[in-house]
């Protein structure tokens, strides 16, 4: 509630004395004020090496991904994706006619050696290194370096989706891939949807200089420019320290919800580890052979997980549930989980 009150006040401030730039067509990258604030935040919080001119503001990470695909790739290009993978990213690449190569994910994240064995000359890779979706693992430093080395040798693009990076509960996060890339091969994608709320519809891409003009051209002919009024308010939100304060409050709430959910699921006989980062976890049980019935039972109890098996690309599907724990009080989440476990005999 506090965050909404602050944003309402900031938007009202800009409506009271509207700036002249609201009445014309702006930069396809978005307002300079917000781009500079995003760049400053990413340099400090994620080790991203960038300046405001490289930032392209979008209506969420999905639009950022679409712009990158249209600017950097062409139909039929081979692209590595994590296996299992975030389904909306997979849909974006498939919809654009890419040839997808599932690269297995294990406890160390995506395996670049396996990807190179399957498609050494792929044109791009989509990866979620901070908190892999859906398995929740973190890409190790050794594999980060190996992935960057492959991209440099292959002349490929690394699309780094750094969603959920703000929600780190134990220890400092690893520096973003973009921050350790010396060859300009990483395109960094982020969003305010998870950190604030999806209805805000503001995301961003940090684009290497070699690709920037192409991405801006696609944005210009498809969407012209983002909404400037909201951008000005959001720039103030970051500049005045409200975003950092919001994240501190949000992390505490998410951690409490995580702990309550993990405790109930483990009591019910599931194999669940408390994730060090992110807003979801993966639940498994040795006797589960399919997850569709588990999903139906969960939804009947007001519990809304996602089935793990459909998220696989080429690997044999594994039964499990991907369970988010943000947006609900701990006691409400725990109660729904108990009802579901009782229904399935947990």
């Amino acid at each position: 509630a506090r965050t909404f009150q602050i944003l309402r006040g900031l938007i009202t401030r800009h409506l009271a004395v509207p700036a002249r730039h609201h009445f014309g067509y702006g930069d396809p990258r978005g307002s300079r004020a917000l781009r500079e604030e995003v760049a400053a935040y990413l340099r400090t919080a994620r080790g991203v090496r960038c300046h405001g001119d490289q930032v392209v503001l979008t209506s969420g990470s999905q639009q950022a991904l679409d712009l990158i695909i249209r600017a950097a790739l062409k139909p039929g290009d081979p692209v590595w994706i994590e296996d299992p993978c975030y389904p909306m990213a997979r849909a974006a690449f498939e919809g654009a006619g890419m040839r997808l190569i599932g690269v297995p994910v294990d406890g160390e994240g995506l395996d670049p050696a396996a990807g190179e064995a399957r498609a050494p000359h792929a044109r791009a890779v989509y990866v979620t290194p901070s908190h892999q979706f859906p398995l929740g693992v973190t890409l190790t430093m050794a594999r980060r370096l190996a992935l960057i080395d492959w991209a440099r040798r292959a002349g490929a693009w690394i699309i780094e989706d750094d969603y959920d990076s703000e929600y780190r509960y134990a220890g400092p996060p690893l520096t973003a891939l973009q921050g350790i890339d010396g060859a300009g091969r990483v395109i960094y994608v982020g969003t305010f949807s998870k950190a604030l709320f999806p209805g805000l519809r503001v995301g961003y891409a940090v684009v290497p200089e070699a690709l920037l003009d192409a991405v801006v051209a696609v944005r210009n002919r498809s969407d012209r420019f983002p909404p400037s009024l909201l951008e000005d308010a959001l720039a103030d939100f970051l500049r005045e320290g409200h975003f950092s304060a919001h994240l501190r409050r949000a992390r505490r709430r998410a951690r409490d919800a995580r702990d309550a959910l993990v405790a109930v699921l483990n009591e019910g006989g599931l194999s669940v580890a408390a994730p060090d980062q992110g807003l979801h976890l993966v639940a498994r049980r040795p006797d589960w052979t399919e997850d569709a019935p588990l999903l139906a039972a969960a939804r009947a109890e007001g519990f809304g997980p996602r089935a793990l098996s459909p998220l696989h690309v080429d690997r044999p599907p594994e039964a499990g549930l991907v369970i988010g724990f943000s947006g609900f009080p701990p006691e409400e989440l725990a109660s729904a989980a108990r009802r579901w476990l009782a229904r399935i005999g947990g």
Side-chain angles (χ1 to χ4, degrees):
R2 188 183 310 177
T3 295
F4 279 96
Q5 290 173 354
I6 294 169
L7 282 170
R8 182 172 65 234
L10 294 174
I11 292 172
T12 300
R13 175 198 298 176
H14 287 281
L15 280 172
V17 186
R20 293 185 61 178
H21 63 258
H22 298 319
F23 300 93
Y25 291 92
D27 191 319
R29 293 170 295 183
S31 79
R32 174 167 291 279
L34 182 54
R35 288 189 283 116
E36 294 290 353
E37 291 301 323
V38 168
Y41 166 71
L42 294 177
R43 288 194 299 267
T44 301
R46 301 295 299 121
V48 173
R49 297 188 294 181
C50 67
H51 51 77
D53 287 343
Q54 289 177 264
V55 176
V56 178
L57 300 171
T58 65
S59 60
S61 59
Q62 196 69 16
Q63 187 190 36
L65 190 55
D66 180 68
L67 294 176
I68 293 162
I69 291 170
R70 289 196 281 160
L73 303 172
K74 62 182 185 298
D77 277 352
V79 174
W80 295 0
I81 60 170
E82 297 166 318
D83 190 2
C85 183
Y86 175 53
M88 291 300 291
R90 181 179 181 178
F93 286 109
E94 286 181 335
M98 303 298 110
R99 181 164 63 85
L100 299 184
I101 295 95
V103 180
V105 173
D106 58 23
E108 298 183 50
L110 176 138
D111 184 356
E116 192 161 7
R118 296 198 63 192
H121 303 297
R123 300 301 305 138
V125 54
Y126 171 83
V127 64
T128 52
S130 292
H131 184 239
Q132 198 273 337
F133 190 92
L135 298 183
V137 298
T138 299
L139 189 65
T140 62
M141 183 57 71
R143 288 195 176 176
R144 289 168 186 247
L145 295 173
L147 189 62
I148 290 170
D149 179 64
W150 165 77
R152 178 187 54 78
R153 289 184 284 107
W157 297 109
I158 299 173
I159 304 169
E160 177 182 15
D161 188 342
D162 205 29
Y163 88 105
D164 272 2
S165 62
E166 295 87 359
Y167 292 91
R168 179 77 173 175
Y169 309 113
L174 289 171
T175 298
L177 274 172
Q178 198 271 1
I180 58 174
D181 168 32
R185 305 312 305 174
V186 178
I187 309 162
Y188 182 94
V189 174
T191 180
F192 290 104
S193 293
K194 295 293 182 65
L196 290 170
F197 54 96
L200 194 65
R201 304 311 304 142
V202 179
Y204 46 86
V206 178
V207 184
E209 299 284 358
L211 190 60
L212 185 59
D213 286 347
V215 170
V216 172
V218 173
R219 177 63 187 270
N220 188 45
R221 67 175 180 261
S222 64
D223 192 34
R224 292 296 295 269
F225 69 104
S228 56
L229 175 65
L230 185 57
E231 287 179 334
D232 283 355
L234 190 54
D236 289 348
F237 191 77
L238 270 70
R239 184 185 308 112
E240 296 174 10
H242 303 301
F243 185 57
S244 297
H246 164 81
L247 288 178
R248 288 193 293 271
R249 296 191 298 269
R251 272 194 292 264
R252 286 194 298 268
R253 291 194 297 266
R255 184 178 58 244
D256 291 345
R258 176 202 66 177
D259 292 346
L261 180 61
V262 168
V264 170
L265 295 178
N266 283 332
E267 288 169 7
L270 276 64
S271 175
V272 178
D276 290 336
Q277 183 161 320
L279 296 172
H280 79 268
L281 53 80
V282 178
R284 304 177 178 89
R285 202 166 70 183
D287 61 329
W288 287 355
T289 57
E290 54 181 336
D291 42 30
L294 302 168
L295 196 64
R299 290 175 176 169
E301 296 298 340
F303 196 46
R306 180 196 296 265
L308 176 62
S309 59
L311 304 180
H312 291 77
V313 182
D314 297 323
R315 300 170 68 182
E318 177 188 7
L321 292 182
V322 182
I323 307 174
F325 49 80
S326 66
F328 297 95
E331 60 276 7
E332 186 177 328
L333 197 59
S335 177
R338 286 192 187 95
R339 294 194 305 269
W340 168 64
L341 287 168
R343 178 183 281 263
I344 66 168

